[in-house]
Structures are given as structure tokens and as C-alpha cells.
């Protein structure tokens, strides 16, 4: 075949494939008939596109962990799937984008993702750049240490042991909160993701890792007995779904979706299938939402 013919043929094939992809009106057999939304809303745009980009974590067992099959799994991933499904988007049309703590606001502001479900604490500083739906879960900051650690018993024991370094993640609320408990800023070691903190604890470069108990429980479970959580929480971390700042219609839509999921048992199932399988995890009740703004 001559090269011009080959090009013409492949253009025709691509066109036919795209027509086939569009032909289902942005929905497919798995997600049922396409829902209809007010024109111009985020919901309408996503439903029409038939696909969605979601920022999540890839290294947090129980909440967002990318497996060998390349697919992330966890409670956050299931929450994202519930929202996508209500938009008429099936699981296979969700593109999960790794969103480490520091880049979550940036990704939303730059429209790299449609929404973020990533152990993402709602707070006023972040609300200057993004909005949140939820909370859909409330965690608390804690410390994880090696199983044979006896000196560190909670955040208050850190100041008296400046040689014991503590690890957290850049751009996270636990990294900010722990600062008030340290002998000096150099006692804190920061990485971009928590799996690197777990590695540093394993190799003895740090003596503790601090973040939400929800994340630490997953890392303890993965450690096969090498790590323990101190079970001494010292903050409240309400997890929200990050959306574009001021998109109140999308926020209300997500609230409706979560409320329905709690009523149908889908919320509880999402938990039980994921984070709920980790030892020490307790089934949550859907918290009272903040108002959308
Ligand atoms: N929930 C906290 C935060 O949003 C810590 C967990 C994380 O870094 O994702 O900063």
C-alpha cells in the first residue's frame, strides 16, 4: 500500500472510531442512560464529554493505592466512582491522575482535573484557591513509629528528643501542625508523598511519620508488623472533594450524590471494600456537610 493511501485509511478508521465513541451520547451500557443537567454546568460538561479526570493519591493503602494492574483502589477512588456514575460516566472512563498533597490546588486551578478526592482536608487557606464539597470523612493526625519504639508516645514527646526526626509531606496540614511540637524546624523531614516517609522510617533515617490516622493505618497494615500507630490523635481532618473555586452547583450535586449513597448503602460498601478491610479501621457515618460556597 502506498503511504498516502495508508494515511487516508487510518484517518477513516480514527473517524469511525470517534463516531462510535460519540454515538452513545456520553454514556454507555454500564452507566445507563445519560442524565441531563442544566447547560453550562460542570455536570453538563462532564456528562457530555462522557469522561472525567480525577486527582487522587497513588501510594496510600486503603484510600488511593495504584496496584500492579495500574488501577488505583481505595475509599477515595470509590467515592470518585460514585460521583462519576451519577454523572453518567462509567468506571473505565475515569482517568485517575496522581495528585500529591502539594499540587492539589494547582491542579484544580489549572483544570488538570475535574475534581480531587485525595485525603484532602478542608481548610480556610485552601478555600482561598479552591472550593470543597463534603466532608465525606473525618480523620485525625497521629504518629507512626517502629513497633519497638518506646520513647515516642505522642506529639508532646518530640520536643525532648530533637535527635528523633519526624517525616511528613510538603503542602500537607500535618506538616504544618507538627511544627508546633518540634524542638526546631530541622527535626522535620519533608517528602512529596507518604510512601517515601515510610521508607525513611524503615531505614532508620527518621523515627516517626506524621499524617492522618487513616493513611497511617494503611501504612501500618502494609508494614507486616514493623510499624505501629500511636493512637493519640491531635487534630481534626475533614476530607472534602476539591472542586473549582465557587462552583456551588457542582458542590450541591456532590452533596446530593453522597447523601443518596449513604441512604442506599453504597457509601458504607465503598468503605467496607477498601479502608474498612484494614485492621483498626472503624466504619464511618457520613458527616454533616459544610455549606457550599
Ligand atoms: N489530610 C491532610 C491534608 O490534606 C493530610 C493528608 C494528605 O497530605 O493528603 O493535607
Amino acid at each position: 500500500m502506498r503511504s498516502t493511501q495508508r494515511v487516508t485509511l487510518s484517518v477513516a478508521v480514527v473517524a469511525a472510531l470517534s463516531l462510535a465513541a460519540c454515538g452513545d451520547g456520553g454514556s454507555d451500557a454500564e452507566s445507563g442512560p445519560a442524565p441531563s443537567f442544566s447547560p453550562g454546568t460542570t455536570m453538563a460538561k462532564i456528562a457530555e464529554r462522557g469522561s472525567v479526570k480525577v486527582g487522587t493519591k497513588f501510594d496510600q493503602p486503603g484510600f488511593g493505592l495504584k496496584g500492579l494492574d495500574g488501577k488505583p483502589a481505595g475509599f477515595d477512588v470509590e467515592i470518585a466512582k460514585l460521583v462519576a456514575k451519577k454523572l453518567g460516566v462509567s468506571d473505565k472512563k475515569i482517568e485517575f491522575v496522581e495528585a500529591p498533597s502539594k499540587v492539589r490546588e494547582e491542579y484544580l486551578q489549572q483544570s488538570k482535573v475535574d475534581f480531587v478526592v485525595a485525603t484532602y482536608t478542608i481548610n480556610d487557606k485552601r478555600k482561598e484557591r479552591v472550593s470543597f464539597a463534603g466532608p465525606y470523612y473525618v480523620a485525625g493526625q497521629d504518629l507512626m513509629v517502629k513497633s519497638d519504639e518506646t520513647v515516642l508516645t505522642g506529639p508532646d514527646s518530640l520536643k525532648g528528643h530533637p535527635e528523633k526526626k519526624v517525616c511528613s509531606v510538603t503542602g500537607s496540614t500535618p506538616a504544618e501542625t507538627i511544627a508546633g511540637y518540634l524542638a526546631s524546624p530541622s527535626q522535620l523531614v519533608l517528602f512529596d508523598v507518604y510512601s517515601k516517609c515510610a521508607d525513611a522510617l524503615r531505614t532508620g533515617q527518621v523515627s516517626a511519620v506524621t499524617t492522618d490516622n487513616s493513611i497511617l493505618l494503611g501504612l501500618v497494615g502494609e508494614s507486616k508488623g514493623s510499624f505501629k500507630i500511636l493512637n493519640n490523635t491531635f487534630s481534626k481532618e475533614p476530607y472534602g472533594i476539591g472542586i473549582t473555586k465557587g462552583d456551588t452547583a457542582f458542590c450541591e450535586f456532590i452533596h446530593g450524590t453522597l447523601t443518596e449513597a449513604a441512604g442506599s448503602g453504597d457509601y458504607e460498601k465503598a468503605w467496607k471494600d477498601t479502608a474498612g478491610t484494614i485492621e483498626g479501621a472503624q466504619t464511618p457515618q457520613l458527616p454533616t456537610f459544610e455549606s457550599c460556597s
Side-chain angles (χ1 to χ4, degrees), residues 13-48:
V13 168
V14 169
L17 284 175
S18 349
L19 270 177
C22 295
D24 57 9
S27 186
D28 59 32
E30 261 179 55
S31 54
S36 66
F37 298 105
S38 302
T41 58
T42 300
M43 295 81 82
K45 283 179 205 159
I46 296 173
E48 199 177 314

Side-chain angles (χ1 to χ4, degrees), residues 79 82-83 133-136 241 253-263 267 286 289:
I79 293 288
L82 288 171
V83 175
Y136 60 92
I241 298 183
F253 167 82
I254 295 172
H255 284 178
T257 304
L258 291 172
T259 304
E260 203 180 299
Y267 171 84
L286 185 63
F289 301 138

Side-chain angles (χ1 to χ4, degrees), residues 41-287:
T41 58
T42 300
M43 295 81 82
K45 283 179 205 159
I46 296 173
E48 199 177 314
R49 208 194 303 144
S51 66
V52 70
K53 279 191 186 180
V54 180
T56 196
K57 299 297 187 77
F58 280 4
D59 70 332
Q60 296 178 186
F63 275 73
L65 180 71
K66 196 166 177 171
L68 290 175
D69 60 0
K71 291 183 192 153
F75 186 55
D76 280 345
V77 170
E78 291 307 312
I79 293 288
K81 286 179 183 170
L82 288 171
V83 175
K85 190 173 177 192
K86 205 76 192 136
L87 291 164
V89 177
S90 68
D91 293 359
K92 54 182 192 289
K93 294 280 180 67
I94 307 174
E95 184 187 336
F96 286 101
V97 176
E98 185 175 17
S101 305
K102 191 172 174 253
V103 304
R104 293 173 293 198
E105 288 87 55
E106 196 176 306
Y107 278 15
L108 284 166
Q109 286 185 303
Q110 295 172 355
S111 301
K112 278 198 178 171
V113 293
D114 295 294
F115 58 92
V116 168
V117 196
T119 57
Y120 199 6
T121 296
I122 302 172
N123 68 28
D124 288 344
K125 192 170 155 207
R126 291 172 178 167
K127 279 191 204 163
E128 288 170 14
R129 298 173 68 188
V130 302
S131 290
F132 291 96
Y136 60 92
Y137 181 76
V138 182
Q141 183 170 355
D142 209 325
L143 286 154
M144 177 174 82
V145 293
K146 281 212 173 134
S147 296
D148 58 1
E149 171 69 56
T150 51
V151 173
L152 295 180
T153 50
D156 294 327
S157 54
L158 286 165
K159 236 177 207 149
H161 297 277
E163 76 288 358
K164 294 207 174 246
K165 302 240 187 250
V166 50
C167 187
S168 198
V169 157
T170 322
S172 71
T173 49
E176 282 180 20
T177 306
I178 202 68
Y181 293 92
L182 303 177
S184 80
S186 64
Q187 201 176 350
L188 180 62
V189 174
L190 293 173
F191 289 114
D192 57 344
V193 290
Y194 294 107
S195 47
K196 291 185 187 166
C197 282
D199 288 342
L201 181 61
R202 198 168 294 120
T203 56
Q205 289 163 295
V206 300
S207 304
V209 178
T210 191
T211 186
D212 304 340
N213 53 356
S214 48
I215 300 170
L216 296 176
L217 278 175
L219 295 171
V220 166
E222 213 180 35
S223 79
K224 300 195 174 71
S226 317
F227 303 155
K228 65 180 178 189
I229 187 164
L230 292 183
N231 270 324
N232 189 348
T233 55
F234 51 100
S235 80
K236 269 208 159 40
E237 308 289 332
Y239 288 178
I241 298 183
I243 57 174
T244 304
K245 187 169 165 60
D247 194 347
T248 47
F250 193 31
C251 173
E252 302 288 3
F253 167 82
I254 295 172
H255 284 178
T257 304
L258 291 172
T259 304
E260 203 180 299
S264 68
D266 284 351
Y267 171 84
E268 196 177 318
K269 181 173 177 349
W271 175 267
K272 289 201 162 141
D273 289 347
T274 58
T277 62
I278 293 166
E279 213 188 305
Q282 281 163 20
T283 308
Q285 295 269 0
L286 185 63

